Amino acid sequence: MAAPRRSTVLVALVGFCLAVAASAQATKSCRVLPSGPVSLLILESGERVQRFAASVSGPAILKRDAQTVIFDDGRVVTANIDSATVFLNELGWGNLDIQIVASFPRAAARPRRVG
């Protein structure tokens, strides 16, 4: 009686493993691609990235960490290029055209010379 139970459990376990593997493969092949080029917005800090992401309504967030947020419409907002690169490659967007915009604080105005 013990042998049939083991084989039933083994068959169920193998079936489960095959289902998980098929699901993982399906997830990899069903990726979201933006309709146009990727827009990369580089900000000076992770705090600004998170504030910007909180102000955006509409597109879904596909990837996020403390330094980078990637929206499903192709916008990438980051303070860390390496983080953005990893996410872009994970999404399969590494070979898409990228438009880059950088936003850094303005330099302080130079004091006027007197005399």
Side-chain angles (χ1 to χ4, degrees):
M1 208 53 147
R5 278 190 185 161
R6 284 187 193 153
S7 63
T8 303
V9 170
L10 183 60
V11 169
L13 184 58
V14 168
F16 175 76
C17 291
L18 290 173
V20 169
S23 174
Q25 188 62 31
T27 301
K28 287 180 184 176
S29 63
C30 295
R31 57 184 179 188
V32 177
L33 293 174
S35 59
V38 173
S39 297
L40 180 64
L41 175 61
I42 305 168
L43 300 177
E44 68 177 320
S45 69
E47 179 184 329
R48 287 187 181 243
V49 168
Q50 297 306 321
R51 271 193 279 153
F52 179 86
S55 73
V56 174
S57 61
I61 294 175
L62 297 177
K63 296 280 186 174
R64 174 183 232 150
D65 68 11
Q67 301 287 309
T68 302
V69 177
I70 297 184
F71 297 95
D72 67 353
D73 64 357
R75 281 184 283 176
V76 179
V77 185
T78 190
N80 182 328
I81 297 298
D82 293 332
S83 171
T85 301
V86 169
F87 284 161
L88 287 171
N89 287 328
E90 285 177 3
L91 290 168
W93 295 7
N95 61 346
L96 299 177
D97 290 337
I98 298 176
Q99 297 175 344
I100 301 172
V101 177
S103 173
F104 298 101
R106 282 183 18 185
R110 293 177 139 183
R112 288 189 164 189
R113 270 188 156 168
V114 179

